[in-house]
Amino acid sequence: MSDRDGIFAGDDPFALARDWMAVARDSEVNDPDAVALATVDPAGMPNVRIVLLRRIEDDAFVFFTNYDSAKGREIGASGTAAFVLHWKSLRRQIRVRGTVTREDGAIADDYYAGRALDSRLGAWASAQSNPLDSRAVLMDKLEAMRQTWGDAPPRPPFWGGFRITPTEIEFWADGPNRLHDRYRWTAAAPSDTHRTATGWTVSRLSP
């Protein structure tokens, strides 16, 4: 019999992640949706950076970025990524690994349109991850984009979302004496008799 109850209860990891995020929005001082996103380059060298997780869907996690950035190129080459959400005030974290596809349609358009004007223009001005001579050059590019697009810039064709469809999700909560609680959700085969109603196998892990 499972001892998974309290903050770990439920049969849907995405609903659980949304519940944890809602609690974090009330407790974290800044950016409760900040995740450390890990990718690998073609040589297998890992990269990690902070991005903002903007959507927790019924089957995926979504963030937005420049497709030509280092992370965008690395995701395009490998089709995979991982991230960790860590909430220091709650002493909880969520780890995710999975496959990645682009979100390049209406959802990306709507998210882009909701950003501040200078952020939208900045997406056009910044050749993200590429060398830059000076901040003055960047600001000149921003002003050039302002002259080009005014107050209604369209979403750049090189900018949009990435949707991570997980094969594995781990929920972690701090425990006394470092005896933490950890539950790993793994996408289950239909024949797995231990799968949840939403198609996952859940295992408790040693801390």
Side-chain angles (χ1 to χ4, degrees), residues 21 24 31 34 47 76 82 118 125 134 152 162 169:
M21 180 68 79
D31 297 329
N47 257 325
D118 277 7
S134 68
F162 279 117
I169 308 172

Side-chain angles (χ1 to χ4, degrees), residues 142-160:
L142 178 64
E143 289 309 309
M145 291 301 101
R146 197 184 308 278
Q147 294 302 314
T148 299
W149 300 115
D151 61 358
R155 179 170 63 88
F158 52 81
W159 193 99

